[in-house]
Amino acid sequence: MTASGAALRRDLLTVVRGHVDLFLNAGSLMATTLITSAFGFAYWWLAAHLAPAEAVGQASAAVSAMTLIGTIGMFGMGTMLIADLPGIARGRWDLIATCLLAAGTAATVGGLVYVALAHLWLPGLREALGSTPATVLLVAGIALNAMTLVLDEAMVGLLQGPLQLMRNAWFSMIKLVLLGLVWLLPITLTGEALLLTWVAGIVGSTAILFRALRRRGMIDSLRPRAALLRGRGRATLDHNLLNLAAYLPRAALPLVVTATLSAAANAAFYTAFMVLSVLAMIPGNVALTLFAVAAGDRAALRGKVRMGLAVCLGLGVPASLVVADLARPIMSLFGSAYAETAGDVLAVLCLTYVPFVFHHFFLAVSRVRGRLRGAGIFSAAAGAAELLAAWWGGRHGELNDLVTAVAVVMAIETVLVAPTVLKVVFAPVADVAAAEGVTVMSTTSLTLHERAWLPLEYIRTVGPLTGVTAERLRHALIGLHAADPAHRAVSRLDRAGRQWQHLDAASFAAYAREAVTDLGHGPVDFDAMTRRLQAEPRAHHPVRILAGGGYVALKVSHAYGDAGPVNTLLRELVLAAAEGRAARIAPSVRHRTALPRAWWKQFGRHPDRWRTGLGFPAPPHPEPTETRSWHDALTVRTARSAWVLGQMRSWRDEHAPGVTTSAITFAAFTGALIELGLRPDLTGGTFLADARRYLGAGVSVDSNFCMGPYLSPASLTDPAAVHRTLKAELASGRILTMMLLREGKLLLTGAPGMPDPYPTEVAVEPRPRLTFSNQGRHDVLGDLPWAVGAAGRVNQSVPTLNGPEGITLTTSEMGGVLHLEATFHSSTYDPDVLQRALDLVCTDPAGLIMAHH
């Protein structure tokens, strides 16, 4: 392969990997259609051979009613969930449960109306209802069908297409197996028995799905609350009207054919239309998945539409041409009469494939942009025009004339909607950097590992220092840029484009002035500096600095690095500023395969470790509890002690030989929270650990390479139990599996550029959920130009994200001094209480441990 060919192949693979979420979820929807169609054919073929014709007729009428009324009964809930779920961080399943209940209720009402109409005005349907138990079963089936249709679309909204595929596959198999079991019983198969297998398949497949969701820890709560639908009524109604406008006209076409021509003509038309439906599922499912993906990331709309159109046109157009050319042989599979009557019909219908593509994409783009009402009106008008054209064609000609008239109307529709879709495809990429007058010389794509950590940031605050000012820090950064313009510390972070942007010298000089804020020479509050950076929104700076009064606060994107790389960056910037020179940081080799190689080294060569390495505990599901309104108010409290480490070691030598001081600190902090009445969750906690210990010799990772497994020591207030649990976990290497799974999920579903939004509610009586992060020794910073001795030095390590009920304790040692930081939300916990907890740990850790051991 030539160099250009290899480069083209790499570029193509990069593009494809960027749209795995689209391919995976759309593919699962297509697979669902194929599986349900194949098993559905097998089910009705078997039913026709095992049951009387009357029973099959009654059951098929019931299933048709379930499908039609269930689809209407969804009332737009499914598409509303697709639009809203990506923007919800907590309480997703409360909203899903509410929508399921609402859809089930609406469908039940629709089922009762159907039964009333059948009894009062439609004798044929009344006979199809059967006995009273059969009627009750039908109404229940209608409700359950509507609920599972909403549930399937909720899975698409969560980008869990394979799970809805699993449910539908189980549904198809369960009802087929039950049909065979019922036939083995010494009874005559009735329509009621056939309907029962269908309903049982819905119930069984849904139970299997919920079990899988529970095992994966995806369901946080299932509390239907009508209040969750407030403010969503109009959008839901618009989604429902749009769904009906797109669905009902096509569903009514067979009725128009029958009314204007004959039942025999409709049989031929319906068969040909079903063949076309197999092709039409490509744009239908791709467009639905596009809506699900872009609803949570509108910046991705252009790229997803381009890729979706390429797939639909690249695969579907050649396929439709082949089907058109083989129309008569295909229709002859259903009989010679079908080939004679509908061969040309299928060929004409294949010409409507491109209109199908653009209409589906027009709907998806309209949904993403919130233009539901206009799209619904257009779809209703287009559907009415198609029905009128079909009516005119049937009255003034034969089946071919009817289908041709519909095709002409659909072609006109394409001319009207294509500009909306093509404007998205050919719209210029919004270059924020250029709009701000920044010149980008080149770019480097973020690795998957860097993208995985893009939403997170990390703050380091140190001081007091001598000779370090904001202007000197700017010059140090400018010098680093002059030596290496592509270094990530002096690059612009493009979150939407998922790349590092490398600036020219003039642009970076202005960029550095914006990145470093001068707080002046006067006294400053170093804790306030940390809190200020915590409160700042995430932007395009991988490194954001506050400097003043002898203190430096550095906020670094985790895409750049974790504690190790950040300490290296901090040390060099401070030293370069103090010495009045350019910063010098050697670029690290990007080992893109470091993680899979480390996993293979730990587990691949040792099958005896697979069972341990592939299973790990998940946090327990929070119990439903009374909640109150809540807003985020992230803050930090700090403490340090120059003598407490000695006390810890003395206590350890007497009571718990071999236990680390970090385990003692974690246990003492938990005891302090109990002492102060905060009632922390003692079932376990999240323990952050660096995975570099598993890398091979000479392999480095300059971005974040940590993971936080949830562990459950026998007691969170017993240092020995905490130590044993941590030691066993690190020996197992399971965090490598967690990291691989996380990156694999992000590869399939897409890596977010920003964290999920905070919830709006918290428990009335919150229980602290603890995260422990031991930064280790920071003695690498010992040669900084400190203005005071070790006991007076500030050395803070603080995250910028935490859950509503979370408390993160960060510990580090420097020059024999223990530094503690507690990060939490002041809207949940009293900052004075947390400050008191830290002071207790720095005062009497042994007493706290002995009191609660």
Side-chain angles (χ1 to χ4, degrees), residues 773-805:
S773 174
N774 176 33
Q775 299 277 313
R777 295 182 183 274
H778 287 176
D779 291 337
V780 66
L781 304 179
D783 59 350
L784 296 186
W786 297 103
V788 296
R793 295 171 184 173
V794 171
N795 179 48
Q796 296 180 3
S797 304
V798 179
T800 60
L801 196 66
N802 212 342
E805 299 178 31

PDB file of all heavy atoms in Angstrom, residues 773-805:
ATOM      1  N   SER A 773      -9.075  10.542  47.435  1.00  0.00           N
ATOM      2  CA  SER A 773      -8.011  10.692  46.451  1.00  0.00           C
ATOM      3  C   SER A 773      -6.703  10.992  47.171  1.00  0.00           C
ATOM      4  O   SER A 773      -6.550  12.056  47.782  1.00  0.00           O
ATOM      5  CB  SER A 773      -8.345  11.826  45.472  1.00  0.00           C
ATOM      6  OG  SER A 773      -7.260  12.079  44.601  1.00  0.00           O
ATOM      7  N   ASN A 774      -5.789  10.050  47.120  1.00  0.00           N
ATOM      8  CA  ASN A 774      -4.473  10.253  47.726  1.00  0.00           C
ATOM      9  C   ASN A 774      -3.485  10.659  46.643  1.00  0.00           C
ATOM     10  O   ASN A 774      -3.158   9.882  45.752  1.00  0.00           O
ATOM     11  CB  ASN A 774      -3.996   8.970  48.414  1.00  0.00           C
ATOM     12  CG  ASN A 774      -2.591   9.124  48.974  1.00  0.00           C
ATOM     13  OD1 ASN A 774      -2.208  10.206  49.407  1.00  0.00           O
ATOM     14  ND2 ASN A 774      -1.814   8.052  48.927  1.00  0.00           N
ATOM     15  N   GLN A 775      -2.995  11.902  46.712  1.00  0.00           N
ATOM     16  CA  GLN A 775      -2.074  12.425  45.715  1.00  0.00           C
ATOM     17  C   GLN A 775      -0.629  11.983  45.953  1.00  0.00           C
ATOM     18  O   GLN A 775       0.242  12.235  45.121  1.00  0.00           O
ATOM     19  CB  GLN A 775      -2.131  13.948  45.717  1.00  0.00           C
ATOM     20  CG  GLN A 775      -3.490  14.519  45.376  1.00  0.00           C
ATOM     21  CD  GLN A 775      -3.728  14.601  43.888  1.00  0.00           C
ATOM     22  OE1 GLN A 775      -2.879  15.069  43.149  1.00  0.00           O
ATOM     23  NE2 GLN A 775      -4.872  14.128  43.444  1.00  0.00           N
ATOM     24  N   GLY A 776      -0.371  11.362  47.105  1.00  0.00           N
ATOM     25  CA  GLY A 776       0.977  10.909  47.398  1.00  0.00           C
ATOM     26  C   GLY A 776       1.886  12.051  47.829  1.00  0.00           C
ATOM     27  O   GLY A 776       1.441  13.089  48.312  1.00  0.00           O
ATOM     28  N   ARG A 777       3.173  11.850  47.642  1.00  0.00           N
ATOM     29  CA  ARG A 777       4.163  12.857  48.052  1.00  0.00           C
ATOM     30  C   ARG A 777       4.368  13.881  46.938  1.00  0.00           C
ATOM     31  O   ARG A 777       4.554  13.503  45.787  1.00  0.00           O
ATOM     32  CB  ARG A 777       5.500  12.184  48.385  1.00  0.00           C
ATOM     33  CG  ARG A 777       5.430  11.256  49.592  1.00  0.00           C
ATOM     34  CD  ARG A 777       6.803  10.657  49.886  1.00  0.00           C
ATOM     35  NE  ARG A 777       6.754   9.724  50.994  1.00  0.00           N
ATOM     36  CZ  ARG A 777       6.853  10.069  52.266  1.00  0.00           C
ATOM     37  NH1 ARG A 777       7.018  11.345  52.589  1.00  0.00           N
ATOM     38  NH2 ARG A 777       6.804   9.153  53.217  1.00  0.00           N
ATOM     39  N   HIS A 778       4.339  15.144  47.315  1.00  0.00           N
ATOM     40  CA  HIS A 778       4.584  16.238  46.387  1.00  0.00           C
ATOM     41  C   HIS A 778       5.949  16.873  46.640  1.00  0.00           C
ATOM     42  O   HIS A 778       6.141  18.072  46.403  1.00  0.00           O
ATOM     43  CB  HIS A 778       3.488  17.299  46.507  1.00  0.00           C
ATOM     44  CG  HIS A 778       2.174  16.871  45.923  1.00  0.00           C
ATOM     45  ND1 HIS A 778       1.037  17.649  46.008  1.00  0.00           N
ATOM     46  CD2 HIS A 778       1.809  15.746  45.260  1.00  0.00           C
ATOM     47  CE1 HIS A 778       0.028  17.022  45.409  1.00  0.00           C
ATOM     48  NE2 HIS A 778       0.482  15.863  44.956  1.00  0.00           N
ATOM     49  N   ASP A 779       6.892  16.078  47.096  1.00  0.00           N
ATOM     50  CA  ASP A 779       8.220  16.620  47.398  1.00  0.00           C
ATOM     51  C   ASP A 779       8.955  17.087  46.149  1.00  0.00           C
ATOM     52  O   ASP A 779       9.980  17.772  46.250  1.00  0.00           O
ATOM     53  CB  ASP A 779       9.056  15.573  48.139  1.00  0.00           C
ATOM     54  CG  ASP A 779       8.517  15.315  49.539  1.00  0.00           C
ATOM     55  OD1 ASP A 779       7.823  16.211  50.070  1.00  0.00           O
ATOM     56  OD2 ASP A 779       8.769  14.224  50.088  1.00  0.00           O
ATOM     57  N   VAL A 780       8.417  16.738  44.951  1.00  0.00           N
ATOM     58  CA  VAL A 780       9.007  17.242  43.715  1.00  0.00           C
ATOM     59  C   VAL A 780       8.922  18.766  43.658  1.00  0.00           C
ATOM     60  O   VAL A 780       9.690  19.418  42.937  1.00  0.00           O
ATOM     61  CB  VAL A 780       8.285  16.618  42.497  1.00  0.00           C
ATOM     62  CG1 VAL A 780       6.832  17.086  42.414  1.00  0.00           C
ATOM     63  CG2 VAL A 780       9.017  16.933  41.198  1.00  0.00           C
ATOM     64  N   LEU A 781       8.015  19.337  44.455  1.00  0.00           N
ATOM     65  CA  LEU A 781       7.859  20.791  44.491  1.00  0.00           C
ATOM     66  C   LEU A 781       8.729  21.439  45.565  1.00  0.00           C
ATOM     67  O   LEU A 781       8.616  22.644  45.813  1.00  0.00           O
ATOM     68  CB  LEU A 781       6.395  21.160  44.738  1.00  0.00           C
ATOM     69  CG  LEU A 781       5.374  20.587  43.751  1.00  0.00           C
ATOM     70  CD1 LEU A 781       3.965  21.020  44.142  1.00  0.00           C
ATOM     71  CD2 LEU A 781       5.688  21.024  42.324  1.00  0.00           C
ATOM     72  N   GLY A 782       9.589  20.675  46.186  1.00  0.00           N
ATOM     73  CA  GLY A 782      10.391  21.196  47.288  1.00  0.00           C
ATOM     74  C   GLY A 782      11.352  22.303  46.892  1.00  0.00           C
ATOM     75  O   GLY A 782      11.743  23.107  47.743  1.00  0.00           O
ATOM     76  N   ASP A 783      11.750  22.370  45.599  1.00  0.00           N
ATOM     77  CA  ASP A 783      12.727  23.386  45.187  1.00  0.00           C
ATOM     78  C   ASP A 783      12.069  24.645  44.621  1.00  0.00           C
ATOM     79  O   ASP A 783      12.749  25.481  44.017  1.00  0.00           O
ATOM     80  CB  ASP A 783      13.695  22.804  44.156  1.00  0.00           C
ATOM     81  CG  ASP A 783      12.989  22.286  42.903  1.00  0.00           C
ATOM     82  OD1 ASP A 783      11.738  22.215  42.918  1.00  0.00           O
ATOM     83  OD2 ASP A 783      13.684  21.943  41.929  1.00  0.00           O
ATOM     84  N   LEU A 784      10.767  24.789  44.809  1.00  0.00           N
ATOM     85  CA  LEU A 784      10.130  26.033  44.380  1.00  0.00           C
ATOM     86  C   LEU A 784      10.617  27.188  45.262  1.00  0.00           C
ATOM     87  O   LEU A 784      11.062  26.972  46.396  1.00  0.00           O
ATOM     88  CB  LEU A 784       8.600  25.910  44.480  1.00  0.00           C
ATOM     89  CG  LEU A 784       7.912  24.876  43.578  1.00  0.00           C
ATOM     90  CD1 LEU A 784       6.399  24.997  43.704  1.00  0.00           C
ATOM     91  CD2 LEU A 784       8.335  25.034  42.125  1.00  0.00           C
ATOM     92  N   PRO A 785      10.508  28.416  44.786  1.00  0.00           N
ATOM     93  CA  PRO A 785      10.973  29.569  45.591  1.00  0.00           C
ATOM     94  C   PRO A 785       9.969  29.916  46.697  1.00  0.00           C
ATOM     95  O   PRO A 785       9.312  30.959  46.673  1.00  0.00           O
ATOM     96  CB  PRO A 785      11.072  30.688  44.543  1.00  0.00           C
ATOM     97  CG  PRO A 785      10.058  30.337  43.501  1.00  0.00           C
ATOM     98  CD  PRO A 785      10.094  28.833  43.430  1.00  0.00           C
ATOM     99  N   TRP A 786       9.868  29.010  47.667  1.00  0.00           N
ATOM    100  CA  TRP A 786       8.920  29.221  48.763  1.00  0.00           C
ATOM    101  C   TRP A 786       9.340  30.418  49.619  1.00  0.00           C
ATOM    102  O   TRP A 786      10.521  30.636  49.881  1.00  0.00           O
ATOM    103  CB  TRP A 786       8.848  27.984  49.645  1.00  0.00           C
ATOM    104  CG  TRP A 786       8.345  26.750  48.939  1.00  0.00           C
ATOM    105  CD1 TRP A 786       9.087  25.699  48.483  1.00  0.00           C
ATOM    106  CD2 TRP A 786       6.984  26.452  48.606  1.00  0.00           C
ATOM    107  NE1 TRP A 786       8.300  24.766  47.887  1.00  0.00           N
ATOM    108  CE2 TRP A 786       6.987  25.190  47.949  1.00  0.00           C
ATOM    109  CE3 TRP A 786       5.779  27.106  48.798  1.00  0.00           C
ATOM    110  CZ2 TRP A 786       5.827  24.586  47.489  1.00  0.00           C
ATOM    111  CZ3 TRP A 786       4.618  26.515  48.340  1.00  0.00           C
ATOM    112  CH2 TRP A 786       4.638  25.275  47.693  1.00  0.00           C
ATOM    113  N   ALA A 787       8.350  31.146  50.100  1.00  0.00           N
ATOM    114  CA  ALA A 787       8.629  32.306  50.955  1.00  0.00           C
ATOM    115  C   ALA A 787       8.603  31.939  52.432  1.00  0.00           C
ATOM    116  O   ALA A 787       9.018  32.738  53.273  1.00  0.00           O
ATOM    117  CB  ALA A 787       7.594  33.414  50.683  1.00  0.00           C
ATOM    118  N   VAL A 788       8.094  30.738  52.754  1.00  0.00           N
ATOM    119  CA  VAL A 788       7.990  30.302  54.149  1.00  0.00           C
ATOM    120  C   VAL A 788       8.444  28.854  54.252  1.00  0.00           C
ATOM    121  O   VAL A 788       8.657  28.167  53.249  1.00  0.00           O
ATOM    122  CB  VAL A 788       6.531  30.441  54.661  1.00  0.00           C
ATOM    123  CG1 VAL A 788       6.098  31.895  54.668  1.00  0.00           C
ATOM    124  CG2 VAL A 788       5.583  29.597  53.811  1.00  0.00           C
ATOM    125  N   GLY A 789       8.559  28.380  55.495  1.00  0.00           N
ATOM    126  CA  GLY A 789       8.932  26.997  55.724  1.00  0.00           C
ATOM    127  C   GLY A 789       7.807  26.034  55.391  1.00  0.00           C
ATOM    128  O   GLY A 789       6.671  26.439  55.097  1.00  0.00           O
ATOM    129  N   ALA A 790       8.122  24.735  55.488  1.00  0.00           N
ATOM    130  CA  ALA A 790       7.183  23.698  55.061  1.00  0.00           C
ATOM    131  C   ALA A 790       5.851  23.792  55.796  1.00  0.00           C
ATOM    132  O   ALA A 790       4.786  23.559  55.215  1.00  0.00           O
ATOM    133  CB  ALA A 790       7.801  22.321  55.264  1.00  0.00           C
ATOM    134  N   ALA A 791       5.871  24.134  57.078  1.00  0.00           N
ATOM    135  CA  ALA A 791       4.638  24.154  57.866  1.00  0.00           C
ATOM    136  C   ALA A 791       3.669  25.232  57.409  1.00  0.00           C
ATOM    137  O   ALA A 791       2.450  25.111  57.609  1.00  0.00           O
ATOM    138  CB  ALA A 791       4.962  24.343  59.346  1.00  0.00           C
ATOM    139  N   GLY A 792       4.166  26.284  56.773  1.00  0.00           N
ATOM    140  CA  GLY A 792       3.299  27.383  56.365  1.00  0.00           C
ATOM    141  C   GLY A 792       2.939  27.375  54.891  1.00  0.00           C
ATOM    142  O   GLY A 792       2.281  28.302  54.407  1.00  0.00           O
ATOM    143  N   ARG A 793       3.358  26.360  54.171  1.00  0.00           N
ATOM    144  CA  ARG A 793       3.133  26.337  52.729  1.00  0.00           C
ATOM    145  C   ARG A 793       1.729  25.833  52.378  1.00  0.00           C
ATOM    146  O   ARG A 793       1.226  24.892  52.985  1.00  0.00           O
ATOM    147  CB  ARG A 793       4.176  25.447  52.050  1.00  0.00           C
ATOM    148  CG  ARG A 793       5.587  25.979  52.184  1.00  0.00           C
ATOM    149  CD  ARG A 793       6.616  24.963  51.702  1.00  0.00           C
ATOM    150  NE  ARG A 793       7.978  25.463  51.929  1.00  0.00           N
ATOM    151  CZ  ARG A 793       9.077  24.745  51.738  1.00  0.00           C
ATOM    152  NH1 ARG A 793       8.967  23.457  51.326  1.00  0.00           N
ATOM    153  NH2 ARG A 793      10.261  25.270  51.965  1.00  0.00           N
ATOM    154  N   VAL A 794       1.135  26.450  51.380  1.00  0.00           N
ATOM    155  CA  VAL A 794      -0.173  26.029  50.860  1.00  0.00           C
ATOM    156  C   VAL A 794       0.059  25.113  49.655  1.00  0.00           C
ATOM    157  O   VAL A 794       0.829  25.456  48.748  1.00  0.00           O
ATOM    158  CB  VAL A 794      -1.016  27.255  50.447  1.00  0.00           C
ATOM    159  CG1 VAL A 794      -2.275  26.816  49.698  1.00  0.00           C
ATOM    160  CG2 VAL A 794      -1.368  28.084  51.667  1.00  0.00           C
ATOM    161  N   ASN A 795      -0.596  23.991  49.680  1.00  0.00           N
ATOM    162  CA  ASN A 795      -0.438  23.021  48.591  1.00  0.00           C
ATOM    163  C   ASN A 795      -1.788  22.313  48.391  1.00  0.00           C
ATOM    164  O   ASN A 795      -2.038  21.250  48.941  1.00  0.00           O
ATOM    165  CB  ASN A 795       0.663  22.005  48.930  1.00  0.00           C
ATOM    166  CG  ASN A 795       0.827  20.963  47.835  1.00  0.00           C
ATOM    167  OD1 ASN A 795       0.913  21.294  46.663  1.00  0.00           O
ATOM    168  ND2 ASN A 795       0.857  19.689  48.222  1.00  0.00           N
ATOM    169  N   GLN A 796      -2.662  22.915  47.595  1.00  0.00           N
ATOM    170  CA  GLN A 796      -4.028  22.413  47.441  1.00  0.00           C
ATOM    171  C   GLN A 796      -4.189  21.630  46.147  1.00  0.00           C
ATOM    172  O   GLN A 796      -3.640  22.001  45.109  1.00  0.00           O
ATOM    173  CB  GLN A 796      -5.029  23.565  47.462  1.00  0.00           C
ATOM    174  CG  GLN A 796      -5.083  24.312  48.781  1.00  0.00           C
ATOM    175  CD  GLN A 796      -6.090  25.449  48.750  1.00  0.00           C
ATOM    176  OE1 GLN A 796      -6.792  25.655  47.754  1.00  0.00           O
ATOM    177  NE2 GLN A 796      -6.173  26.200  49.829  1.00  0.00           N
ATOM    178  N   SER A 797      -4.970  20.557  46.231  1.00  0.00           N
ATOM    179  CA  SER A 797      -5.320  19.740  45.064  1.00  0.00           C
ATOM    180  C   SER A 797      -6.834  19.542  45.093  1.00  0.00           C
ATOM    181  O   SER A 797      -7.346  18.854  45.981  1.00  0.00           O
ATOM    182  CB  SER A 797      -4.617  18.382  45.119  1.00  0.00           C
ATOM    183  OG  SER A 797      -3.213  18.537  45.234  1.00  0.00           O
ATOM    184  N   VAL A 798      -7.530  20.126  44.122  1.00  0.00           N
ATOM    185  CA  VAL A 798      -8.990  20.216  44.215  1.00  0.00           C
ATOM    186  C   VAL A 798      -9.636  19.878  42.871  1.00  0.00           C
ATOM    187  O   VAL A 798      -9.225  20.408  41.837  1.00  0.00           O
ATOM    188  CB  VAL A 798      -9.410  21.645  44.632  1.00  0.00           C
ATOM    189  CG1 VAL A 798     -10.914  21.764  44.707  1.00  0.00           C
ATOM    190  CG2 VAL A 798      -8.776  22.004  45.973  1.00  0.00           C
ATOM    191  N   PRO A 799     -10.664  19.020  42.856  1.00  0.00           N
ATOM    192  CA  PRO A 799     -11.423  18.774  41.623  1.00  0.00           C
ATOM    193  C   PRO A 799     -12.430  19.890  41.363  1.00  0.00           C
ATOM    194  O   PRO A 799     -12.678  20.732  42.235  1.00  0.00           O
ATOM    195  CB  PRO A 799     -12.137  17.447  41.913  1.00  0.00           C
ATOM    196  CG  PRO A 799     -12.323  17.447  43.394  1.00  0.00           C
ATOM    197  CD  PRO A 799     -11.119  18.161  43.963  1.00  0.00           C
ATOM    198  N   THR A 800     -13.022  19.888  40.185  1.00  0.00           N
ATOM    199  CA  THR A 800     -14.005  20.912  39.829  1.00  0.00           C
ATOM    200  C   THR A 800     -15.383  20.310  39.562  1.00  0.00           C
ATOM    201  O   THR A 800     -16.236  20.949  38.945  1.00  0.00           O
ATOM    202  CB  THR A 800     -13.560  21.679  38.575  1.00  0.00           C
ATOM    203  OG1 THR A 800     -13.428  20.764  37.481  1.00  0.00           O
ATOM    204  CG2 THR A 800     -12.252  22.391  38.812  1.00  0.00           C
ATOM    205  N   LEU A 801     -15.597  19.092  40.023  1.00  0.00           N
ATOM    206  CA  LEU A 801     -16.877  18.443  39.809  1.00  0.00           C
ATOM    207  C   LEU A 801     -17.165  17.520  40.978  1.00  0.00           C
ATOM    208  O   LEU A 801     -16.258  16.868  41.503  1.00  0.00           O
ATOM    209  CB  LEU A 801     -16.851  17.632  38.503  1.00  0.00           C
ATOM    210  CG  LEU A 801     -18.183  17.200  37.909  1.00  0.00           C
ATOM    211  CD1 LEU A 801     -18.986  18.401  37.437  1.00  0.00           C
ATOM    212  CD2 LEU A 801     -17.963  16.233  36.753  1.00  0.00           C
ATOM    213  N   ASN A 802     -18.428  17.480  41.398  1.00  0.00           N
ATOM    214  CA  ASN A 802     -18.830  16.575  42.471  1.00  0.00           C
ATOM    215  C   ASN A 802     -20.336  16.425  42.419  1.00  0.00           C
ATOM    216  O   ASN A 802     -21.055  17.337  42.000  1.00  0.00           O
ATOM    217  CB  ASN A 802     -18.409  17.119  43.845  1.00  0.00           C
ATOM    218  CG  ASN A 802     -18.076  16.008  44.827  1.00  0.00           C
ATOM    219  OD1 ASN A 802     -18.461  14.856  44.611  1.00  0.00           O
ATOM    220  ND2 ASN A 802     -17.373  16.334  45.884  1.00  0.00           N
ATOM    221  N   GLY A 803     -20.832  15.268  42.834  1.00  0.00           N
ATOM    222  CA  GLY A 803     -22.263  15.043  42.876  1.00  0.00           C
ATOM    223  C   GLY A 803     -22.914  15.851  43.977  1.00  0.00           C
ATOM    224  O   GLY A 803     -22.243  16.346  44.894  1.00  0.00           O
ATOM    225  N   PRO A 804     -24.239  16.006  43.942  1.00  0.00           N
ATOM    226  CA  PRO A 804     -24.945  16.810  44.952  1.00  0.00           C
ATOM    227  C   PRO A 804     -24.685  16.356  46.377  1.00  0.00           C
ATOM    228  O   PRO A 804     -24.598  17.174  47.290  1.00  0.00           O
ATOM    229  CB  PRO A 804     -26.417  16.641  44.571  1.00  0.00           C
ATOM    230  CG  PRO A 804     -26.390  16.269  43.135  1.00  0.00           C
ATOM    231  CD  PRO A 804     -25.149  15.476  42.931  1.00  0.00           C
ATOM    232  N   GLU A 805     -24.573  15.035  46.587  1.00  0.00           N
ATOM    233  CA  GLU A 805     -24.358  14.502  47.929  1.00  0.00           C
ATOM    234  C   GLU A 805     -22.921  14.048  48.143  1.00  0.00           C
ATOM    235  O   GLU A 805     -22.594  13.437  49.158  1.00  0.00           O
ATOM    236  CB  GLU A 805     -25.321  13.336  48.184  1.00  0.00           C
ATOM    237  CG  GLU A 805     -26.784  13.741  48.108  1.00  0.00           C
ATOM    238  CD  GLU A 805     -27.723  12.567  48.318  1.00  0.00           C
ATOM    239  OE1 GLU A 805     -27.342  11.629  49.062  1.00  0.00           O
ATOM    240  OE2 GLU A 805     -28.832  12.574  47.755  1.00  0.00           O
TER     241      GLU A 805
END
